[in-house]
């Protein structure tokens, strides 16, 4: 199973991705975590992306595309995975498609978790991560809305997209995703 989770920042992609990792033994690919780790380690990339992430702006496509491509190089190349926060732009989707084609791995599912802006603002303010202040959250939501329609159109055309409401109990949302995946 090779799965992309799409949805507003704070819709629960990370929460649901981790449940799917536990249940289905998938590799977790979360670009937000990779970038935060680069910032924590003070790498060159970390220093470049920190001011963008603090402001809720997207990191340049080539940076995240390189980070993801790197994961597929070498022996630990994931064959079953779930992505959280990638791709986030049409250019990233095209780059990811090309990478997977090269690796003879096609995407099996794309799940769009649907939720309102107001609900995610409430959730993220309650979570309190460093980039979870109201101005940054609103900017992240704007970035999402600018890109999401083209991503949804792209994956609808590919015939792999399913929408799942992301409100209610975490376990119920998980069960709905598992059902949509046709997994046990
Ligand atoms: P990233 O780390 O990907 O953050 P995000 O997309 O903003 O998403 P979040 O992690 O905030 O939310 P989530 O949907 O995972 O929800 P979660 O499970 O945590 O990206 C951060 C930044 O990195 C970006 O702004 C950008 O700058 C950069 N970046 C990353 N990837 C990039 C890319 N591909 N291209 C360019 N830039 C990139 O849940 C949120 C909260 O809600 C939690 O407290 C959780 O406990 C709670 N919750 C979850 N489910 C429920 C539920 N059902 N009911 C109630 N509460 C719930």
């Amino acid at each position: 199973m090779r799965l992309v989770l799409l949805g507003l920042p704070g819709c629960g992609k990370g929460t649901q991705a981790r449940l799917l990792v536990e249940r289905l033994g998938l590799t977790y690919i979360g670009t937000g975590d990779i970038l935060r780790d680069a910032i924590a380690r003070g790498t060159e990339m970390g220093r470049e992306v920190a001011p963008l992430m603090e402001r809720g702006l997207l990191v340049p496509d080539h940076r995240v595309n390189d980070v993801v491509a790197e994961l597929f190089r070498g022996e630990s190349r994931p064959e079953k995975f779930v992505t959280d926060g990638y791709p986030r732009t049409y250019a990233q989707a095209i780059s990811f498609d090309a990478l997977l084609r090269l690796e003879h791995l096609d995407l099996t599912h794309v799940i769009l978790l649907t939720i309102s802006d107001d609900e995610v603002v409430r959730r993220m303010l309650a979570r309190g991560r460093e980039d979870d202040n109201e101005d940054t959250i609103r900017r992240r939501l704007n970035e999402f809305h600018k890109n999401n329609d083209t991503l949804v159109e792209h994956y609808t055309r590919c015939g792999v997209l399913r929408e799942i409401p992301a409100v209610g109990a975490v376990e119920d949302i998980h069960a709905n995703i598992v059902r949509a995946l046709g997994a046990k």
Side-chain angles (χ1 to χ4, degrees), residues 7-15 18 28 30-37 39 50 52-59 84-85 88 120-137 140-141:
L8 280 171
C11 72
K13 297 182 298 294
T15 304
R18 285 179 175 83
Y28 173 75
T31 41
D33 280 5
I34 296 170
L35 296 169
R36 277 186 289 278
D37 179 63
I39 293 173
L52 297 170
M53 289 177 68
E54 271 162 28
R55 290 162 59 208
L57 298 172
L58 291 184
V59 167
D84 163 11
R88 243 183 173 87
V120 294
V121 172
R122 201 184 57 70
R123 281 186 193 179
M124 285 198 279
L125 289 176
R127 179 180 62 176
R129 201 169 71 191
E130 214 154 86
D131 55 347
D132 283 345
N133 62 73
E134 187 143 7
D135 276 357
T136 306
I137 293 169
R140 281 155 63 199
L141 295 180

Side-chain angles (χ1 to χ4, degrees), residues 22-171:
E22 278 168 32
R23 184 173 189 137
L24 303 171
L26 308 178
T27 297
Y28 173 75
I29 299 177
T31 41
D33 280 5
I34 296 170
L35 296 169
R36 277 186 289 278
D37 179 63
I39 293 173
R41 288 187 294 112
T43 65
E44 187 195 329
M45 180 176 75
R47 288 194 299 277
E48 179 191 325
V49 304
L52 297 170
M53 289 177 68
E54 271 162 28
R55 290 162 59 208
L57 298 172
L58 291 184
V59 167
D61 289 331
H62 71 91
R63 273 294 187 196
V64 270
N65 288 337
D66 286 351
V67 158
V68 172
E70 189 59 40
L71 300 175
F72 285 82
R73 285 190 197 114
E75 283 171 18
S76 55
R77 158 190 187 266
E79 298 215 345
K80 303 191 304 176
F81 59 77
V82 51
T83 74
D84 163 11
Y86 182 85
R88 243 183 173 87
T89 64
Y90 182 65
Q92 291 178 21
I94 295 302
S95 169
F96 197 37
D97 286 352
L99 172 70
L100 294 178
R101 208 173 305 120
L102 207 65
E103 299 290 333
H104 304 289
L105 301 169
D106 51 346
L107 277 182
T108 56
H109 303 83
V110 176
I111 299 283
L112 171 65
L113 293 171
T114 57
I115 192 168
S116 69
D117 285 15
D118 288 345
E119 173 64 16
V120 294
V121 172
R122 201 184 57 70
R123 281 186 193 179
M124 285 198 279
L125 289 176
R127 179 180 62 176
R129 201 169 71 191
E130 214 154 86
D131 55 347
D132 283 345
N133 62 73
E134 187 143 7
D135 276 357
T136 306
I137 293 169
R138 293 282 175 200
R139 215 169 288 125
R140 281 155 63 199
L141 295 180
N142 285 341
E143 292 283 335
F144 173 87
H145 288 301
K146 270 199 286 188
N147 289 296
N148 190 52
D149 288 354
T150 42
L151 281 180
V152 167
E153 278 163 26
H154 175 66
Y155 288 123
T156 302
R157 263 198 312 275
C158 298
V160 286
L161 187 92
R162 291 286 303 272
E163 284 188 29
I164 305 279
V167 280
V170 167
E171 299 73 23

